[in-house]
Amino acid sequence: MFADELKTLRRLGVRHVLLQILNFVSVLASGLMIWKGLGLITNTESPIVVVLSGSMEPAFYRGDLLFLTNPTDQRYQTGDITVYRVPGADIPIVHRVLETHDFTSKKKGAVAASPLVQKQLLLTKGDNNHIDDIELYQGLEWLERKHIVGKVRGFLPYVGYVTIAMNDFPQLKYALLGGLGLLALVQRE
């Protein structure tokens, strides 16, 4: 099955194969740099997330790709759609802010109107859920700003199904990555 590819690799020589590997590594590094750059620009650890459940229907459906920002100079308002991560949970959750509570700091010299000085507590709920998310907070009564990954700014419907398919079927992920790696090695340019 791979006999032709192996003959091609032998014919190309070690130097050419090493060049192809270097090109492949450079593409991976570029992707990582773009991801980290997006994170710096948007001030969030994860500027793009995929909706994994139907808890936000009809606003977002499973497989929708969400674009996030986390502005430090803005307060979260009731109705904002946020992505948060609770300590101990691996998967971020996309839900709407149901309630907000602002507390002013008592620090000397601090301006009370400054968003950075005030502590903000949030309560969230999925649009398709009947109750709020207190059960999901794992012992917390409210979410704090440190739990918020970002605020949803835009989305692409159903584009994230590729990610869901690769997580549900790991063999597909390995086959796809292996095929791309083999293609990078065998490519003659």
Side-chain angles (χ1 to χ4, degrees):
M1 180 174 166
F2 294 112
D4 293 334
E5 284 81 8
L6 289 174
K7 286 179 185 177
T8 304
L9 282 175
R10 286 189 193 122
R11 192 176 70 237
L12 291 176
V14 174
R15 185 175 178 167
H16 188 74
V17 170
L18 289 175
L19 182 63
Q20 292 297 90
I21 291 171
L22 186 61
N23 284 336
F24 186 69
V25 168
S26 116
V27 167
L28 290 177
S30 296
L32 182 62
M33 286 189 291
I34 289 170
W35 178 260
K36 289 299 183 182
L38 275 173
L40 284 173
I41 291 168
T42 60
N43 190 37
T44 179
E45 66 189 56
S46 184
I48 300 171
V49 295
V50 175
V51 178
L52 298 176
S53 74
S55 67
M56 279 302 292
E57 292 179 3
F60 302 117
Y61 293 92
R62 188 170 194 258
D64 288 353
L65 193 69
L66 306 179
F67 300 99
L68 309 177
T69 62
N70 193 7
T72 56
D73 60 341
Q74 293 179 9
R75 311 293 288 164
Y76 285 93
Q77 305 294 325
T78 301
D80 286 345
I81 299 174
T82 61
V83 176
Y84 65 89
R85 181 170 297 159
V86 180
D90 295 334
I91 299 172
I93 299 170
V94 181
H95 282 173
R96 191 178 303 273
V97 175
L98 191 61
E99 287 182 38
T100 63
H101 297 278
D102 295 332
F103 297 95
T104 306
S105 176
K106 304 294 184 205
K107 293 180 182 177
K108 284 190 173 186
V111 179
S114 170
L116 300 176
V117 175
Q118 296 178 345
K119 181 178 179 182
Q120 187 176 39
L121 300 177
L122 304 171
L123 178 66
T124 58
K125 175 185 170 298
D127 290 356
N128 202 21
N129 294 349
H130 299 292
I131 58 172
D132 58 36
D133 292 347
I134 289 178
E135 294 289 325
L136 298 175
Y137 296 166
Q138 297 182 3
L140 299 174
E141 292 184 23
W142 301 91
L143 290 178
E144 296 179 29
R145 183 79 182 218
K146 65 183 176 184
H147 300 122
I148 304 296
V149 175
K151 179 192 282 190
V152 176
R153 296 296 185 171
F155 75 102
L156 286 174
Y158 306 114
V159 175
Y161 264 116
V162 174
T163 302
I164 293 172
M166 285 195 286
N167 284 335
D168 288 349
F169 306 104
Q171 299 87 356
L172 175 66
K173 178 174 30 178
Y174 298 130
L176 191 67
L177 288 174
L180 287 174
L182 186 62
L183 185 65
L185 287 175
V186 175
Q187 186 180 11
R188 294 181 183 157
E189 292 180 4

